[in-house]
Amino acid sequence: METYDALLASISALPGTGRTIFNPATGEPVGEAPVHTLDVLEKSVAGAVAAQPGWAALGHDARSAALLKAADAVERSAEELARLLSCEQGKPLNGPNARFEVGACAAWLRATASLPLEPETIVDDGETRAELHYKPIGVVAAIGPWNWPMMIAVWQIAPALRMGNTVVVKPSGNTPLSVLALVKVLNEELPEGVLSVVSCGRDVGARLTEHPAIGKVMFTGSTAGGRAIIKSSADTVKRLTLELGGNDAGIVLPDADPQAIAQDIFWGAFLNTGQTCAALKRLYVHDSIYDAVCEELTAVAKAMPMGNGLDENNVLGPLQNKAQYDVVANLVEAAKSSGARVLLGGDADADQPGYFYPTTLVADIDNDNPLVAEEQFGPALPIIRYSTIDEAVEKANGLDVGLGASVWSSDVAEARKVAARIQSGTVWINRHGAVDPRIPFGGAKQSGYGVEFGVEGLKALGVPQVING
Ligand code: NAD
């Protein structure tokens, strides 16, 4: 375990020209990230190719044991990692934020290590005996976004390693330090070459998606990024898991209790200050309880402090970068000029340091307003009125993405019926965005394909092989 300063210094000392990373809450420098070139990428891939047979030969038990030790290493450095994550990404230490994310890294490593995966006997009828096994793919590229940089890296790394693959990680250029630090800590317990990071721009990173030595790309990011990767990986027929953008709907049924659901709706929408792929981004509320839900939600939202993540009082932080800040500010401005009613927030304060956008609730907004129809990925929630369930379901299904969704009701059986009509990879009932390492998670429509987590997620990091005879 290293001190925070020693951890940062070791990253700054990595080969490659340094690039200063700034804290989105203050504009102050956090540290220096290397800028890796194609040479470094080639060396990392070659190292991963060389290490892979030995890692695969260890078998599931030894690899799981290594993942458990890696989880211990994360816990030993948890406070240093959380501080770095808070300074670089902006999310507060407190609340479901930086410490929570580092805790999730350890939890996912442990859960992935303990998932059962035995060969399956598919047919055994006296004449034919067919068994299904899962072999390692080889080298996996893990390409991730800036919103949950450590946790999503572990979501990609842990099952890939468990299945006997080696991994080259390419973090987002917005949050390289968090991933470099995480990998450094994981590597306290992993053999050399098994896990490496290439801290590079998108142009250099794109090489991973066409590289002949890469067997699979685990990609989490925008739908546009996913489309580009499908194209660039086509010539080498790579396996892909694509976790892409969403614009999740929540439907509040007429029998829901506004006061009882307000807090969970708030966190479903504003987790990580709204910068969460499977956050609730469009809330459909039945006309009969519309005003009550707006009132309760406003009361909860008003009470949630936003500010510098190192201040333990705060549970909401800044947007991670200026581009995302502008997306949110412009969408809210467009909603205001269309005549929508702002219940809370809605005024960007460009004078303050940092990319803080106030918690914003917008009512009486049309379903085709861009704040509803586009992924705003920030702390602004549009609340849309509906009068029949058919209308709400049609609106929820009206976009070409479908990552998550939720139904809110006092009658779980009724909520399940509505859930079955929604086109998304997950539908939560009376909560939103709750992921679990035992339960498959993935998108429908243009939110991607393939699943992560659970035994299904493990299988996605292997090549199915049938032994027949
Ligand atoms: P992004 O697509 O801009 O970038 C994601 C990562 O991919 C970055 O590391 C980027 O450098 C890299 N990248 C992009 N195009 C590439 C290419 N052609 N070749 C190689 N690498 C490439 O996404 P972002 O802005 O960092 O993240 C926000 C988006 O991610 C949102 O749309 C959000 O919904 C989505 N997301 C989805 C999930 C999920 O599980 N479905 C989870 C988190 C975030």
Side-chain angles (χ1 to χ4, degrees):
M1 190 197 119
E2 287 177 295
T3 64
Y4 178 78
D5 290 340
L7 188 60
L8 263 178
S10 66
I11 293 169
S12 301
L14 290 169
T17 320
R19 183 166 72 91
T20 307
I21 302 294
F22 296 95
N23 184 331
T26 62
E28 290 165 2
V30 180
E32 298 282 312
V35 181
H36 288 150
T37 56
L38 270 179
D39 292 5
V40 177
L41 183 144
E42 290 297 344
K43 272 189 203 143
S44 284
V45 173
V49 169
Q52 194 272 328
W55 176 247
L58 288 177
H60 276 284
D61 288 350
R63 293 195 301 265
S64 289
L67 292 186
L68 293 177
K69 284 187 162 183
D72 294 342
V74 168
E75 278 175 352
R76 285 197 298 272
S77 294
E79 202 55 26
E80 290 75 19
L81 290 172
R83 183 167 161 208
L84 176 55
L85 181 59
S86 180
C87 290
E88 184 182 53
Q89 205 284 334
K91 61 184 70 189
L93 286 171
N94 207 347
N97 293 298
R99 291 192 185 110
F100 168 85
E101 179 166 351
V102 173
C105 291
W108 248 268
L109 284 160
R110 293 214 168 92
T112 308
S114 62
L115 287 169
L117 185 65
E118 297 296 330
E120 295 162 46
T121 302
I122 307 295
V123 176
D124 188 7
D125 62 4
E127 281 181 32
T128 298
R129 180 175 162 81
E131 280 180 357
L132 182 57
H133 298 249
Y134 287 86
K135 318 282 279 187
I137 298 168
V139 181
V140 170
I143 302 180
W146 47 262
N147 57 340
W148 294 89
M150 290 187 183
M151 185 174 77
I152 289 176
V154 166
W155 290 358
Q156 299 173 330
I157 294 166
L161 292 181
R162 163 73 198 272
M163 292 302 289
N165 307 289
T166 51
V167 181
V168 179
V169 183
K170 194 213 90 59
S172 164
N174 290 325
T175 49
L177 298 174
S178 299
V179 176
L180 285 158
L182 171 75
V183 168
K184 184 167 193 295
V185 167
L186 296 175
N187 274 337
E188 289 171 15
E189 300 293 348
L190 296 172
E192 201 180 331
V194 162
L195 175 65
S196 59
V197 196
V198 184
S199 169
C200 59
R202 213 168 264 214
D203 45 343
V204 172
R207 173 69 183 142
L208 287 173
T209 68
E210 57 183 28
H211 200 296
I214 301 289
K216 169 147 191 165
V217 179
M218 297 289 287
F219 176 75
T220 300
S222 62
T223 297
R227 281 191 203 106
I229 286 170
I230 293 168
K231 288 181 189 150
S232 58
S233 63
D235 282 349
T236 45
V237 195
K238 294 192 194 319
R239 289 168 165 76
L240 300 176
T241 293
L242 300 177
E243 295 284 1
L244 308 180
N247 193 349
D248 290 9
I251 300 179
V252 180
L253 300 185
D255 71 345
D257 174 347
Q259 197 182 16
I261 62 176
Q263 177 107 353
D264 289 334
I265 288 185
F266 176 83
W267 281 116
F270 291 91
L271 180 68
N272 199 26
T273 315
Q275 303 160 104
T276 299
C277 53
L280 202 173
K281 298 191 181 96
R282 305 176 278 150
L283 185 65
Y284 295 93
V285 181
H286 191 264
D287 198 33
S288 60
I289 54 167
Y290 187 86
D291 292 336
V293 169
C294 287
E295 206 173 294
E296 295 293 343
L297 203 48
T298 305
V300 171
K302 257 186 192 163
M304 297 293 178
M306 178 186 285
N308 190 319
L310 296 183
D311 179 336
E312 298 278 350
N313 291 318
N314 293 323
V315 293
L316 298 168
L319 273 304
Q320 200 281 328
N321 55 75
K322 175 77 164 67
Q324 198 58 48
Y325 178 94
D326 289 343
V327 167
V328 177
N330 290 338
L331 286 171
V332 174
E333 273 314 306
K336 278 166 35 179
S337 46
S338 77
R341 184 164 55 100
V342 174
L343 300 173
L344 185 69
D347 284 314
D349 178 0
D351 292 338
Q352 65 172 341
Y355 305 129
F356 289 100
Y357 193 88
T359 307
T360 297
L361 296 171
V362 180
D364 295 328
I365 181 165
D366 291 338
N367 195 49
D368 59 0
N369 189 289
L371 183 65
V372 181
E374 292 173 23
E375 185 190 32
Q376 77 272 19
F377 217 59
L381 180 68
I383 308 170
I384 309 107
R385 209 183 274 273
Y386 76 85
S387 45
T388 68
I389 306 289
D390 285 350
E391 177 198 346
V393 169
E394 190 186 326
K395 285 180 171 163
N397 289 340
L399 300 181
D400 56 13
V401 287
L403 187 56
S406 54
V407 182
W408 304 76
S409 170
S410 300
D411 180 344
V412 172
E414 199 50 44
R416 282 177 169 268
K417 283 189 205 154
V418 177
R421 298 173 63 192
I422 295 180
Q423 297 160 352
S424 65
T426 302
V427 187
W428 288 279
I429 291 169
N430 291 329
R431 53 195 179 146
H432 197 115
V435 288
D436 182 317
R438 300 165 301 178
I439 302 174
F441 173 74
K445 302 200 242 183
Q446 291 187 34
S447 288
Y449 47 73
V451 290
E452 296 182 285
F453 318 156
V455 175
E456 295 304 317
L458 269 191
K459 289 178 179 174
L461 271 308
V463 181
Q465 181 186 51
V466 173
I467 308 281
N468 187 345

